[in-house]
């Protein structure tokens, strides 16, 4: 199997996902509106002035990732559930190899989550008064977090689509797997608010990067089994 | 000697061994320094319970990978049995850890990284069973549960090794500390190692019982089908 053919197939699956999403806009609306609504609620109730200066890095980092995490949970599961709902999964199995399907769906979830972070993080910084001193390390952490979260969500979405297609089950299965990631992301974001040095963020960055790596590798081996089960 | 008689001898030996461990934990091991009262004696039960919950997770992975390779329903039953026992020992480790935390730090729960990691392990086991319950078809249930178990296993090292090192932890040093050495009074270490062997024996015994039961159920199901 040639790598370039596989990449072409994966890009074709990604393009199909984008076209299908632009027609229905279900995932975009779910993720975007959930994120914005939660942000407005948090900003209205807590805002930049309700938190003591010494508590700011802890609370703001935790609140940011809670908003991103639950917004992501509301939309990332759709990539496979919609194929089962629309009875198009069998056609997709015939049209593309398992790894290409997984690659295309993962890429779509990464782009969706990156767009959410690009919208939400600057808005959150303005509304909640989050001052980041280590901008470059935070951007790298956001990118690594995006890949780790999207890869976990994609493989769990594949499992629940084959199980029952229930959104509740997605949260039950995904939350325990994503909690270590969330803990490391919150720790890293807190460091980015207090220190501009890369070294201070390194443990969190290494942890998130390694988690993203092992999830992607495990998914490569597990997805064909899940897809054809 | 029959298998049943050999198994009976092993069970009596295991019972006697555990009685010695209990005696050693309360009367042979000295009082640990730097802990409130006799609270440190819980280590002889808490650490082996946590060890068995991780061991069960490893057995669950082994059986899951075997199921993915061979599709034998007995391997799926083995994986489920290991997860059930893992859930039990994980709960026991959480309860004994909380009792220690209450005596040492005044609260049952302190949101310590190690407490969080064991709760996440509990959630992973619970999610594994939630997934199994949601699927009616046996073969699909086995395959998807095995895939989830494998995925959960790769995140476990982050819970056990990475997260507790990013955050400050109240938890005493693990048995083998970050310097790679064992800082424990020799008599305490002997009792702890004996307890680790005893709890591993209990796990093996319960696991074997579960697998025997599953074997009977599968055979009966096959007879019913044929």
């Amino acid at each position: 199997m040639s790598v370039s053919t596989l990449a072409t197939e994966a890009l074709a699956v990604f393009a199909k996902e984008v076209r299908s999403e632009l027609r229905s806009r279900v995932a975009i609306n779910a993720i975007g509106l959930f994120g914005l609504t939660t942000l407005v609620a948090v900003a209205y109730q807590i805002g930049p002035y309700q938190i003591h200066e010494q508590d700011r890095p802890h609370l703001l980092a935790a609140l940011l990732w809670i908003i991103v995490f639950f917004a992501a949970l509301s939309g990332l599961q759709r990539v496979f559930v919609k194929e089962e709902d629309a009875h198009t999964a069998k056609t997709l199995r015939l049209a593309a190899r398992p790894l290409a399907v997984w690659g295309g769906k993962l890429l779509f979830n990464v782009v969706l989550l990156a767009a959410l972070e690009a919208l939400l993080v600057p808005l959150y910084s303005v509304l909640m008064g989050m001052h980041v001193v280590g901008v470059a390390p935070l951007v790298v952490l956001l990118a690594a977090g995006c890949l780790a979260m999207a890869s976990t969500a994609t493989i769990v979405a594949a499992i629940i689509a084959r199980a029952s297609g229930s959104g509740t089950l997605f949260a039950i299965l995904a939350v325990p797997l994503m909690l270590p990631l969330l803990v490391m992301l919150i720790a890293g974001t807190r460091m980015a608010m207090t220190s501009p040095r890369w070294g201070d963020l390194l443990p969190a960055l290494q942890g998130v990067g390694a988690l993203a790596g092992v999830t992607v590798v495990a998914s490569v081996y597990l997805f064909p089994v899940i897809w054809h089960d | 000697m029959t298998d049943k008689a050999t198994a009976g001898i092993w069970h009596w030996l295991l019972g006697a061994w555990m009685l010695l461990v209990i005696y050693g934990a309360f009367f042979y091991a000295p009082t640990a320094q730097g802990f409130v009262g006799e609270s440190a004696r819980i280590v002889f039960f808490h650490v082996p319970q946590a060890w068995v919950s991780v061991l069960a997770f490893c057995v669950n992975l082994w059986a899951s990978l075997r199921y993915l390779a061979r599709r034998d329903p007995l391997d799926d039953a083995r994986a489920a049995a290991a997860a059930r026992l893992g859930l039990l020992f994980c709960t026991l480790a959480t309860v004994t850890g909380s009792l220690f935390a209450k005596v040492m730090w005044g609260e049952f729960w302190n949101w310590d990284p190690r407490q969080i990691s064991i709760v996440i392990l509990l959630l992973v086991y619970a999610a594994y069973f939630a997934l199994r319950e949601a699927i009616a078809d046996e073969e699909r249930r086995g395959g998807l549960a095995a895939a989830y178990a494998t995925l959960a296993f790769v995140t476990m090292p982050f819970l056990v090794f990475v997260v507790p090192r990013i955050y400050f932890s109240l938890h005493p040093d693990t048995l083998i500390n970050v310097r790679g050495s064992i800082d424990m009074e020799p008599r305490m270490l002997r009792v702890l190692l004996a307890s680790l062997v005893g709890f591993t024996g209990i796990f093996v015994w319960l696991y074997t019982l579960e697998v025997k039961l599953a074997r009977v159920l599968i055979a009966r199901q096959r007879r019913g089908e044929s």
Side-chain angles (χ1 to χ4, degrees):
Chain A
M1 180 183 7
S2 140
V3 174
S4 64
T5 333
L6 191 67
T8 314
E9 271 183 45
L11 285 174
V13 173
F14 171 68
K16 174 201 91 71
E17 287 298 311
V18 173
R19 274 197 301 274
S20 147
E21 184 54 39
L22 289 177
R23 266 203 299 272
S24 69
R25 296 196 187 91
V26 174
I28 293 175
N29 287 341
I31 285 192
L33 287 176
F34 192 101
L36 283 176
T37 311
T38 323
L39 173 58
V40 169
V42 168
Y44 178 63
Q45 281 301 313
I46 300 171
Y49 309 114
Q50 303 278 341
I51 309 171
H52 289 296
E53 197 55 40
Q54 72 270 22
D55 298 330
R56 292 182 80 81
H58 288 86
L59 284 178
L60 291 180
L63 284 172
L64 170 67
W65 282 106
I66 287 169
I67 295 171
V68 172
F69 177 64
F70 284 102
L73 280 188
S74 69
L76 296 186
Q77 56 165 310
R78 274 197 45 83
V79 279
F80 287 104
V81 173
K82 72 178 178 188
E83 304 288 357
E84 298 291 338
D85 286 350
H87 305 288
T88 49
K90 281 182 183 162
T91 316
L92 195 56
R93 270 186 204 101
L94 294 172
R97 281 168 286 190
L99 277 184
V101 174
W102 170 77
K105 303 270 185 189
L106 171 66
L107 191 58
F108 177 76
N109 270 350
V110 167
V111 170
L112 199 60
L113 199 52
L116 174 76
E117 285 180 353
L119 170 78
L120 220 54
V121 176
L123 209 55
Y124 181 86
S125 302
V126 172
L127 292 177
M128 298 294 290
M130 182 175 91
H131 302 295
V132 179
V133 287
V135 177
L138 180 66
V139 171
V140 176
L141 184 77
L142 286 171
C146 175
L147 178 63
M149 211 178 265
S151 55
T152 309
T154 307
I155 193 76
V156 174
I159 292 174
I160 62 134
R162 304 290 295 142
S164 67
S166 138
T168 319
L169 191 61
F170 178 77
I172 291 169
L173 297 189
V175 168
L177 298 185
M178 287 196 194
L179 274 177
L181 171 68
L182 212 55
V183 168
M184 291 186 284
L185 286 170
I186 291 169
T189 307
R190 199 182 65 224
M191 289 312 298
M193 292 173 67
T194 52
S195 165
R197 287 192 302 272
W198 282 88
D200 292 331
L201 237 86
L202 208 57
L205 264 176
Q206 283 172 327
V208 174
L211 189 57
V214 295
T215 311
V216 167
V217 172
S219 301
V220 166
Y221 285 97
L222 292 174
F223 184 74
V225 178
I226 296 166
W227 189 233
H228 285 300
D229 220 312
Chain B
M1 196 182 290
T2 62
D3 283 353
K4 202 173 173 182
T6 316
I9 291 170
W10 277 111
H11 296 158
W12 279 105
L13 280 177
L14 182 61
W17 185 271
M18 284 313 291
L19 281 176
L20 279 175
V21 166
I22 293 166
Y23 177 82
F26 289 102
F27 301 108
Y28 174 70
T31 305
Q33 302 297 309
F35 293 88
V36 176
E38 301 290 331
S39 63
R41 291 188 195 277
I42 208 165
V43 77
F44 302 120
F45 306 99
H46 171 70
V47 171
Q49 285 157 3
W51 148 251
V52 169
S53 62
V54 174
L55 175 70
F57 213 24
C58 295
V59 175
N60 173 259
L61 174 77
W62 166 77
S64 298
L65 291 177
R66 262 171 74 109
Y67 181 79
L68 291 177
R70 308 185 328 167
R71 298 284 165 167
D72 180 352
L74 189 60
D75 288 326
D76 181 42
R78 283 191 176 111
R84 258 192 301 278
L85 292 172
L87 187 61
L88 171 71
F89 281 96
C90 202
T91 309
L92 288 173
T94 309
V95 171
T96 49
S98 294
L99 291 173
F100 176 77
K102 176 69 179 171
V103 176
M104 273 302 287
W105 308 307
E107 293 294 337
F108 284 110
W109 204 257
N110 300 279
W111 294 107
D112 183 81
R114 290 213 180 268
Q115 286 181 321
I116 296 167
S117 54
I118 200 121
V119 164
I120 297 175
L121 198 59
L122 265 175
L123 289 175
V124 167
Y125 278 129
Y128 174 82
F129 286 111
L131 176 64
R132 293 184 70 88
E133 292 292 320
I135 309 166
D137 180 73
E138 278 180 18
E139 195 173 342
R140 185 176 284 187
R141 179 173 62 212
L144 294 179
Y148 184 73
T150 312
L151 194 64
F153 188 85
V154 298
T155 60
M156 199 182 65
F158 292 89
L159 283 175
V160 179
F161 301 113
V162 180
V163 171
R165 278 162 180 73
I166 289 181
Y167 277 97
F168 167 75
S169 175
L170 288 165
H171 195 281
D173 257 359
T174 45
L175 179 58
I176 298 172
N177 58 32
V178 285
R179 296 177 298 281
S181 60
I182 301 175
D183 293 336
M184 190 176 259
E185 202 277 335
R187 280 175 296 169
M188 289 179 76
L189 186 61
R190 263 176 237 139
V191 177
L192 181 59
L193 292 177
S195 182
L196 283 169
V197 172
F199 271 89
T200 307
I202 292 174
F203 169 74
V204 172
W205 175 42
L206 294 173
Y207 174 75
T208 314
L209 280 179
E210 285 247 22
V211 174
K212 273 182 188 165
L213 179 65
R215 195 173 270 138
V216 171
L217 289 174
I218 290 167
R220 199 170 70 176
Q221 195 181 10
R222 278 183 184 153
R223 272 202 304 275
E225 280 169 6
S226 61

